[in-house]
Amino acid sequence: AEAVTRAQFGILELLDGRHEESRAAFVRAIWILGDVGDRKMEAVYLAFLAALESVRGALDVALQSAELAKRRLVGVGDPAAAAAVEILGGVVDLARSRRATDAESARPHLESAKRRLAVAEASTSAPEVLRLARLVLRRAFTPSDSQSARSAG
C-alpha cells in the first residue's frame, strides 16, 4: 500500500510539474515494489518514471526505464498494466521526436506518439491507471503536437 500511495503522489507531482518530487516518489515506490516482487505495479510505475524522465529531458534514462517496464510485464498477463505501459511509451516517443535533428527522423516517433494517444483516447476501459496514463500522455503534447494529433486521429 505504501508503494502505490507514493507512486500516486508521484503522478500528481508529475502532473503538477514538480519533477524532483515526482522522481523521488517513483524511485521509492519502484524499489519497494521490486523488493516485494510486484512485477505488474513495478512495470506500471517504471513506465510513469520513463514518462517523467522524458519530460525532464533525460531521454537515456527514459529509454532504460521504458525497456525495464516492458521486461517486468513479461508473463504477468494484465491487460490494463500492459495498456498503461504502452500509452506512457508515447511520452518517450515525443521526447525522441523532439531530440531528432531533422523532421524526417522525428516523424516516426511523433506518429507513434499520435497513434498511442489515439488508441488511448478511443479506449472505453476506465481503470484509474489508464486514465492517469492517458492524462500524462495528453499533457506531454505541446499545443502544436496536440493539434496534429487530433487531425491524425
Side-chain angles (χ1 to χ4, degrees), residues 20-141:
E20 291 304 316
E21 295 89 341
S22 178
R23 187 175 195 288
F26 287 140
V27 168
R28 179 71 178 147
I30 291 163
W31 183 84
I32 293 168
L33 292 164
D35 195 45
V36 299
D38 187 340
R39 290 183 16 230
K40 176 183 84 169
M41 295 313 295
E42 183 184 10
V44 167
Y45 295 123
L46 277 163
F48 275 104
L49 178 63
L52 167 67
E53 295 296 359
S54 295
V55 170
R56 292 178 69 223
L59 186 55
D60 292 340
V61 175
L63 289 167
Q64 291 171 355
S65 297
E67 181 58 35
L68 188 54
K70 290 177 193 174
R71 286 199 313 258
R72 288 292 187 268
L73 273 182
V74 172
V76 170
D78 186 289
V85 169
E86 183 67 20
I87 291 165
L88 290 163
V91 183
V92 179
D93 289 339
L94 282 172
R96 292 178 80 181
S97 75
R98 292 174 184 146
R99 172 86 52 98
T101 55
D102 59 70
E104 188 67 29
S105 58
R107 186 173 297 113
H109 301 296
L110 181 57
E111 292 304 317
S112 177
K114 289 176 185 179
R115 278 191 304 275
R116 292 178 200 240
L117 181 61
V119 168
E121 296 290 354
S123 172
T124 58
S125 184
E128 180 181 6
V129 70
L130 292 182
R131 289 193 315 270
L132 291 169
R134 281 191 293 259
L135 181 58
V136 168
L137 177 54
R138 202 178 301 130
R139 289 213 182 156
F141 277 89

